[in-house]
Amino acid sequence: MTVRVRIAPSPTGNLHIGTARTAVFNWLYARHYNGKFILRIEDTDEARSRPEYTENIKSGLAWLGLTWDEGPFFQTQRLDQYQQAIQTLLDRGLAYLCYCTPEELDQMREEQKAKGLAPRYDNRHRNLTAEAKAALEAEGRKPVIRFKIDDDRSVVWQDAVRGRVVWQGGDLGGDMVIARAGDTSAFGQPLYNLAVVVDDIDMDITHVIRGEDHIANTAKQILLYEALGAKVPVFAHTPLILNQEGRKLSKRDGVTSINDFRKLGFLPEALANYMTLLGWTPPDSTEEIFTLAEAAEKFDLDRVNKAGAKFDWAKLDWINSQYLHKMSAQDLVELLVPYWEEAGYEVNLDSDRYWWESLTAMVAPSLTRLVDVVKETRLLVAESVEYTPEAVEFMQQKGVKEVIEQVIGAISETTSLEAADGKAIIKDVTKSLKVKKGLVMRSLRAGLTGEMHGPDLIQSWLLLHQKGWDKGRLEKALSLI
RNA sequence: GGUGCUGUAGACAAAAUGGUAAAGUCACCUGCCUUUCACGUAGGGGUUUGCGGGUUCGAGUCCCGUCAGCACUGCCA
């Protein structure tokens, strides 16, 4: 039997981290068993679904490297299949028309709550007489279709993550709606639980791997599988991703769409790596940096955790930095350009690639996210400098002025400056002024970059020199002393 | 209210059939490197396994009770 799994997001928002993590697990499982990973867009909620979200989901999955083998399939293009299934259930007497209005249902639930009872549908229209039906219809009511769920029925399945799960029919909320009320003909749009089951049957899905917030749906869906005479797949419910407060991560938590992570400068490999760790532990391994392909070799459902996983920015940052630091400057600089441009700097790699690459090589170790490059190189990518109060204060110190003056003198005589030349100049100045080398170094750093901390001084100096900015900056520094 | 799930250091978590001082990673602290920061590197501290009982020579691992957190409870998915 070929393993067939799927990710089935609804296009009612951008690709969410939770959906993406579920996609990762499904992808990993498919790859591990040499199976198929299918993408299905669940757009039956036409009011909330939008095509741009579908695009966002597709591009997000592709960006993460979660390529799908089949699809995308769209539920809105499969309406006939759902109608057929609904008709079958109706014909078999397993489903019926319910004429309750939303208001009636609300009221019913209110009353139940007031009495301390669990809110549920009381199956009141399950056995309507023909006359009653006609009367309700005469009122102009449009029926929904409900699927019968017997209270005393118990649903049992062997969950690949949680083990044996037992669910009582009576705890499922009464007969469930599987199709909305239609404004005209037979029945309206099919609802999630029905559509999912029909699709999973048609697409031969063998393993349904999804978040644990779907557990109750699974019980309902198993009943539908049975009613439709189909084989029930294996279910696996993965733990939820939690925010800092321990609640299910939601849009309310700010950065939760894959798009956001991308913009912040996380690498897809790093994000995927981290998501893999959220709820799964590789067997006998202490190494936590790995590619999706490597994870796929070891991935299986039996090592998926049951407890929810808190999302930890610090760990994601660390993983991202590991990937960043491993990259070559040639590759990295390409990824960095958009961030510089976004910050308003002009970058032309065609004409000035060497310089930008050198700059990249110098600051790479201090980057955690791509966007950090703006802050890290701010002092080097423009001709002008701003001097921090700390730097100005330092430069007021005795001896700094002389150091800077001498350095200006030295570079005025040089055309090309190499690392060795820079070091020589520093040495000469140190000697001739009889000061400590540290003073010279710090004077230069302050005068050249306007700050007391930053990347390698000599390298920074060379880069500035290549742009012809070093002398001007030092002169400006002098004017502040 | 009901149903279900979960509970090992700040975070992620590992610990066949119960058996030595409860892995590892991140974070944190310290030294080294860099006459800066970061990176890197070498170390270090922290949990007695939600809590309370019980079984046992011995329990994170079994039993009972208790508390807490979360999820679900839609003509959303």
Side-chain angles (χ1 to χ4, degrees), chain A residues 315-334:
Chain A
K315 184 123 183 185
L316 206 215
D317 273 336
W318 175 75
I319 290 177
N320 201 58
S321 71
Q322 294 300 301
Y323 279 85
L324 237 33
H325 299 167
K326 267 192 292 192
M327 285 184 75
S328 68
Q330 295 97 293
D331 293 338
L332 186 52
V333 72
E334 308 269 357

Side-chain angles (χ1 to χ4, degrees), chain A residues 433-451:
Chain A
L433 289 177
K434 294 198 168 72
V435 293
K436 290 200 166 145
K437 193 176 165 196
L439 179 78
V440 178
M441 299 288 277
R442 278 180 290 159
S443 299
L444 256 184
R445 179 176 293 285
L448 243 20
T449 70
E451 293 201 358

Side-chain angles (χ1 to χ4, degrees), chain A residues 115-185:
Chain A
K115 286 185 205 156
L117 299 169
R120 56 161 290 165
Y121 175 61
D122 58 8
N123 303 353
R124 58 176 63 167
H125 285 186
R126 197 194 263 210
N127 298 305
L128 243 32
T129 60
E131 298 79 57
K133 234 184 237 182
L136 290 164
E137 238 156 62
E139 288 178 34
R141 295 193 184 203
K142 306 297 183 197
V144 298
I145 314 285
R146 283 188 186 268
F147 173 69
K148 296 179 184 174
I149 298 178
D150 290 330
D151 286 355
D152 55 5
R153 170 64 205 271
S154 78
V155 184
V156 182
W157 76 92
Q158 193 64 28
D159 195 285
V161 170
R162 325 185 85 81
R164 182 182 151 92
V165 179
V166 182
W167 213 281
Q168 207 53 42
D171 294 327
L172 255 20
D175 295 340
M176 66 188 279
V177 179
I178 53 175
R180 286 191 165 95
D183 11 67
T184 52
S185 63

Side-chain angles (χ1 to χ4, degrees), chain A residues 6 40 42 75 192-200 221:
Chain A
R6 44 53 165 201
R40 184 173 73 225
E42 311 218 317
Q75 292 191 322
Y192 172 74
N193 279 306
L194 185 277
V196 165
V197 172
V198 171
D199 286 344
D200 285 342
Q221 290 175 18

Side-chain angles (χ1 to χ4, degrees), chain A residues 386-398:
Chain A
E386 293 300 321
Y387 292 84
T388 65
E390 191 194 6
V392 174
E393 192 186 337
F394 172 80
M395 291 192 298
Q396 318 268 330
Q397 281 183 30
K398 202 166 134 249

Side-chain angles (χ1 to χ4, degrees), chain A residues 9-14 41-44 48-51 53-54 57:
Chain A
S10 68
T12 54
N14 287 331
I41 304 295
E42 311 218 317
D43 54 354
T44 51
R48 292 195 300 149
S49 296
R50 317 233 328 232
Y53 291 139
T54 296
I57 289 164

Side-chain angles (χ1 to χ4, degrees), chain A residues 27 43 76 152 190 229 256 259 285 290 297 352 388 427 434 472:
Chain A
W27 187 93
D43 54 354
T76 45
D152 55 5
T256 55
N259 233 3
S285 173
F290 45 69
E297 289 176 24
D352 213 4
T388 65
K427 198 175 169 190
K434 294 198 168 72

Side-chain angles (χ1 to χ4, degrees), chain A residues 299-361:
Chain A
F299 187 86
D300 212 332
L301 265 11
D302 58 359
R303 288 189 73 86
V304 172
N305 253 64
K306 290 199 260 298
K310 251 179 219 172
F311 191 89
D312 184 1
W313 284 95
K315 184 123 183 185
L316 206 215
D317 273 336
W318 175 75
I319 290 177
N320 201 58
S321 71
Q322 294 300 301
Y323 279 85
L324 237 33
H325 299 167
K326 267 192 292 192
M327 285 184 75
S328 68
Q330 295 97 293
D331 293 338
L332 186 52
V333 72
E334 308 269 357
L335 300 182
L336 259 17
V337 170
Y339 291 89
W340 275 312
E341 287 178 339
E342 169 82 357
Y345 301 111
E346 259 183 57
V347 184
N348 189 334
L349 284 191
D350 292 331
S351 63
D352 213 4
R353 189 175 183 106
Y354 175 77
W355 192 83
W356 288 99
E357 232 176 74
S358 307
L359 178 65
T360 296

